[in-house]
Every structure is written in C-alpha cells, then in structure tokens.
Amino acid sequence: MTYDTNDIEEIKNNLEKRRYHQKLLLDIACHENPDELPFFQQIIMYDLDEKQENLLLEVLQYLNHNKISSNERIQQLKEFDIKIKDISLVTDEDKLKFFGDCIQKLKIDIPLKYLLLSLEKQNILIEVCKRLLSVIK
C-alpha cells in the first residue's frame, strides 16, 4: 500500500488534532470543576483543531480591539477566505454577522449562540461575547 502526499498530510493533521484533544481532555479532567470548561468540551465534541480554535479567538479578539495580532494570523485567515476589514464603526449586529460568516468559513459547526455562551462561561473574551449575545437574545 502506498500513500500520496495528501494522505500523509491528512494523517499528520489528524494525529496533531488527537494530541490537542488529549491535552484538552487532561485539562478538563484535572480541573477542579470541569463544567467551567465548556469551550474546551465543544472543541472536542465538534472535532476542531488547534488552528481553528486560534483563528476563532483571533476573530473575536479583532472584534473586541479592532486589530489582528500578527501578519501570520492575517495570512492564516486568508487561507479560509476571511478578509479583515475595518469594522470599528459598525454595529454589534454587523459584528455578529461577520463573526457568523467567519465561523462558517472556518468550518466550525458549533451553533453561534452556544459557542459564545461557552466562551463567556469559560471567561474568554467576555465583553465581546456579551455584546454579541445581546444581539442574539
């Protein structure tokens, strides 16, 4: 049996994802109250990889502070056809739509409301999550 380059790359990516999930499971298992880590649980349940998680958080950080942390992140977002634009003057409704579009492009199937609730409960970018959730509710 022979493997082509794409097969080998897919195997490597799946192995990296499993290692990442294993790390998250260990964090959850060792936490005093595992129910306080719903975002980590969703990462595992919806089979996200570390890159998807990092880019998701980068987009939220962008919505919160209107800047991206590095040119490398901008390039990674472009790989998913996510174009960063000046959104400093738009409404929270516009930000929610932009975030929802980004989630789809990142191939994240977690329902938007539950994703934001899990991030908020885990104390990750609370303010922007609250603002976006206020639009949904």
Side-chain angles (χ1 to χ4, degrees), residues 85-101:
K85 50 190 171 188
D86 181 19
I87 57 169
S88 59
L89 301 175
V90 297
T91 66
D92 286 340
E93 289 83 3
D94 292 332
K95 289 181 180 184
L96 180 66
K97 181 179 178 341
F98 177 77
F99 185 61
D101 292 344

Side-chain angles (χ1 to χ4, degrees), residues 18-110:
R18 296 302 153 232
R19 285 183 182 147
Y20 181 59
H21 287 185
Q22 186 178 22
K23 176 186 169 287
L24 291 177
L25 282 169
L26 186 59
D27 287 345
I28 292 167
C30 293
H31 195 272
E32 201 172 285
N33 187 353
D35 290 336
E36 292 178 357
L37 303 175
F39 179 58
F40 288 173
Q41 294 171 14
Q42 286 187 342
I43 290 170
I44 296 166
M45 188 172 21
Y46 286 91
D47 201 31
L48 304 185
D49 61 33
E50 192 169 9
K51 184 176 182 179
Q52 286 173 298
E53 178 205 356
N54 288 335
L55 292 176
L56 161 87
L57 295 176
E58 188 71 41
V59 169
L60 271 178
Q61 186 73 18
Y62 173 67
L63 293 173
N64 203 31
H65 297 293
N66 203 34
K67 65 180 179 179
I68 296 291
S69 64
S70 69
N71 286 334
E72 178 185 355
R73 287 282 194 231
I74 291 172
Q75 291 307 314
Q76 290 174 336
L77 288 167
K78 284 182 181 179
E79 290 173 23
F80 288 92
D81 197 32
I82 296 173
K83 294 171 182 67
I84 298 303
K85 50 190 171 188
D86 181 19
I87 57 169
S88 59
L89 301 175
V90 297
T91 66
D92 286 340
E93 289 83 3
D94 292 332
K95 289 181 180 184
L96 180 66
K97 181 179 178 341
F98 177 77
F99 185 61
D101 292 344
C102 290
I103 297 304
Q104 286 181 335
K105 290 177 180 180
L106 290 169
K107 297 179 173 84
I108 296 175
D109 296 328
I110 305 171

